[in-house]
Amino acid sequence: MRISYNWLKQFIKTDLKSEEIADILTDLGLEVEGVDKYESLKGGLQGVVIGHVLTCEKHPDADKLKITTVDLGDGNAPVQIVCGAPNVSAGQKVPVATIGTKLFDKEGNAFEIKKGKIRGQESHGMICAEDELGLGESHDGIMILNEDLKPGTPASKVFEIETDEVFEIGLTPNRADAMSHMGVARDLRAGILQKGTTSELITPSVSKFKVEKRTLKIDIKVENDKLAPRYCGVTISGVTVKPSPNWLQNRLKAIGLTPKNNIVDVTNYVLHELGQPLHAFDAAQIKGNKVVVKTVPAGTKFVTLDDIERTLHEEDLMICDESGPMCIAGVFGGKTSGVSEKTQAIFLESAYFNPVSVRKTAKRHTLSTDASFRFERGIDPTITEYALKRAALLIQEVAGGEITSDIIDVYPKKIEDFSVFIHFNKVNKIIGEEIKPETIKKILASLDIKVNSITEAGLGLTIPSYRVDVTREIDVIEEILRVYGYNNIKIPSKLNATTAYSSRTEEFKVQNIIANQLCSLGFNEMMANSLTTPDYVKLSENLKEEFNVMMLNPLSSDLSAMRQSLLFSGLEAVSFNINRKRSDLKFFEFGKSYHKMPGGYDENKHLTLLVTGNRQNESWTNAQSKSDFFLFKGYINTILSRLGLDKKVTSLPFENDVFAEGLALAVGKEVIVEFGTVKKSILKHFDIKQEVLYADFSWDKIQKYVSTKIKFTDIPKYPEVRRDLALLLDENVKFEQIYTIAKQTEKGLLKDVNLFDVYQGNNLPEGKKSYAVSFILQDNSKTLTDTQIDKIMSKLQGNFESQLGASLR
């Protein structure tokens, strides 16, 4: 939100610098994110003054040039300026750009006026034409000004150049009361008073408002006073629609608004001045001279000001005449009923609409306007008529016309102020410091909070209706604290704390064990937003668009659906880090996916891993190597081992189109983890050019099989024995088959089976490969004999030959 300092000073008289104002507002909770300089004309004509041409003679070496002496009114001797304008002559008052002045061309490029020589004659400045100053298009000659002007007068004053400082305030959603210059001024007054300086809030007077004639009455009928609790209107006839005066245009431009015409500009001005949205209708376009505030049947078509035909909902509140809708109440005007150059009479509307109704309508039609922004958060219902009078007087000032009807104010049930009681002891307990009752009352008075009753225990208060966020005792305490000043609360020398016991579920304990294990392996935990773009489902055929859980009121199109997969939010994090020169990454996330299924909604918990880049940091002792599938599988196995599942899992046929290659592991026929290398086509969507490995654990399924209890056994007293076999196999045989056959052959003494070398190439028959496999044998009760070992190895070799067609190399 942009707030003009010049505009702010119309409400509160202060000589404080903008930096001081910014600090006060920030301390009050209206965080100033920046202060920008505004100039109605770039450069602000700094360095341009009024000069008096004393003499004017022909240049001795140039027919079209003249040598002038000009009094700049600075107390120094007149300066010589060479000028090429045909209309320059002695006695004139002219604008002069002095040495060092920067002027700007149409493209905004600056050029500096320097001392120089023109055809051998010194020139100390430039007498300017209006296009050279940016005041017009003419370049026929220099500007000749009023003879009464005093030399040395800054040109910025003569041409009424507006300079301003504009605060960019990061307004929080709860502070609806501060969505205007008057609202910010109210807070600023409280802050200044707290610093010991007396300050008064000056509000615009509407005492001159009067009805000149009663020749144009527009009847008002409100059919739904729950959606429109208050509605005011008045007519103004004889207006002339034209561009606004400079002062009004400058006010709007300073806060980033583009002026339209004098009528529309006034409604925007009052909106940002008082926080009350207004709308002006062309009275000639109101059929039957009657305004009806109501809802219309669902499916009704309506063309808004942006020339878009919209289909109305049955709950949309509309401003109608006898023939149909003219405006979406509190949101956007209609194309045909707005003010145009032909408008001669207007119906001016000022209302208080139900915030929930306006928000639903605005979101339904994807419209966000300055008016809807304020109505949605709650405006002050007490200034509806006041703002209408203020706008009417301004319209008369800039567009002429007469007030031609009484104000019709439909307000069947007054919106009452809130009543709250605060306890002194609770104020001191929450704030952490004892604040005197007199100080509290002073702060509350500066916030327009009335004290109705005073007891030893506390205060009975009435909260003004514009403070929609202050309804409880704790809200009032927060108001006291922010005005008193967070920085004024002393930090105690002793910190008191209590250890609160909270029970942990078994699932949380398991999750914590695995998270600690992954951290020890060099992983970093990430937490991504469950809201994402619905377009991600198009990256995988396994994800269905109809399964998307869509938001009714999304913050943006990129956050309009609940995620069906954790992969894409993980890739966003990978891409974000790679773009910031962090390409060696290990991430894990515990999160949920969401699906809208035919039978209802599904919510599933997952553990996901993402690995990319080098295995370890660059070092002179270690050669760089990329993280690959087998390293990644090792991470998967360590997790399954810690969960007590490594002996239970088997691999299953794998179908998932997000992987270029991968593997699925299951307990029985239930898949508990899928992992592999992400497809390049998906990585390209996130602008990732390096390989990414991804694993998706179905955490809900894992909980059924997990066992994290650690079993302790004595270290065996008897030695283990290792035997190796070099097996010649068909190239389609997997190590898993060898492992399974070995375990089935010898269940008691075979402790481990490991593949330590694979060879394919020269000296092997076509279609064959060689596996070098080690077997660890051990008996916990005695030392194995050679006879026992040979018998086991012979049995293993025989089974490999019969079941796999293996032979020894």
Side-chain angles (χ1 to χ4, degrees), residues 450-518:
K450 298 178 181 177
V451 177
N452 295 326
S453 60
I454 303 174
T455 67
E456 291 185 4
L459 302 172
L461 308 173
T462 298
I463 313 297
S465 56
Y466 62 79
R467 287 311 304 268
V468 294
D469 61 322
V470 182
T471 58
R472 306 167 298 168
E473 181 181 17
I474 190 65
D475 298 329
V476 178
I477 294 173
E478 183 181 359
E479 290 297 295
I480 295 170
L481 175 58
R482 73 179 183 86
V483 176
Y484 182 77
Y486 293 95
N487 296 331
N488 293 326
I489 304 300
K490 297 175 184 176
I491 300 175
S493 58
K494 183 177 72 171
L495 178 65
N496 297 322
T498 59
T499 303
Y501 172 79
S502 61
S503 60
R504 299 292 192 183
T505 63
E506 189 63 30
E507 180 186 345
F508 176 84
K509 293 177 182 177
V510 174
Q511 180 176 319
N512 212 33
I513 289 170
I514 299 303
N516 287 333
Q517 180 180 354
L518 287 168

Side-chain angles (χ1 to χ4, degrees), residues 97-114:
T98 57
I99 301 298
T101 298
K102 287 185 178 180
L103 299 179
F104 296 85
D105 59 22
K106 293 180 180 179
E107 287 72 35
N109 301 314
F111 62 95
E112 186 175 342
I113 304 300
K114 298 179 180 179

Side-chain angles (χ1 to χ4, degrees), residues 71-84:
D71 176 14
L72 299 180
D74 55 3
N76 298 319
V79 298
Q80 178 173 292
I81 299 176
V82 178
C83 179

Side-chain angles (χ1 to χ4, degrees), residues 200-214:
E200 182 183 355
L201 187 68
I202 305 167
T203 56
S205 173
V206 294
S207 60
K208 292 182 179 180
F209 179 88
K210 64 178 181 178
V211 180
E212 282 96 353
K213 297 178 182 178
R214 291 178 174 82

Side-chain angles (χ1 to χ4, degrees), residues 156-174:
S156 59
K157 290 185 178 180
V158 175
F159 297 108
E160 298 181 348
I161 303 302
E162 176 90 4
T163 59
D164 199 354
E165 291 175 290
V166 182
F167 303 103
E168 186 67 47
I169 296 179
L171 192 67
T172 53
N174 64 305

Side-chain angles (χ1 to χ4, degrees), residues 344-363:
Q344 296 180 346
I346 64 170
F347 171 73
L348 189 61
E349 164 199 281
S350 178
Y352 175 84
F353 296 119
N354 182 285
V356 176
S357 172
V358 173
R359 178 171 176 76
K360 286 182 177 179
T361 297
K363 295 300 179 184

Side-chain angles (χ1 to χ4, degrees), residues 349-414:
E349 164 199 281
S350 178
Y352 175 84
F353 296 119
N354 182 285
V356 176
S357 172
V358 173
R359 178 171 176 76
K360 286 182 177 179
T361 297
K363 295 300 179 184
R364 194 178 292 125
H365 296 288
T366 62
L367 287 169
S368 181
T369 61
D370 283 342
S372 67
F373 180 81
R374 285 157 177 77
F375 278 126
E376 289 173 20
R377 287 156 179 78
I379 62 171
D380 183 3
T382 64
I383 66 166
T384 307
E385 183 179 358
Y386 168 70
L388 186 69
K389 291 180 178 179
R390 169 66 170 160
L393 289 172
L394 284 174
I395 288 173
Q396 285 186 290
E397 179 183 336
V398 301
E402 298 176 311
I403 309 295
T404 51
S405 76
D406 293 308
I407 291 178
I408 299 177
D409 186 2
V410 181
Y411 196 16
K413 185 177 180 181
K414 185 180 178 182

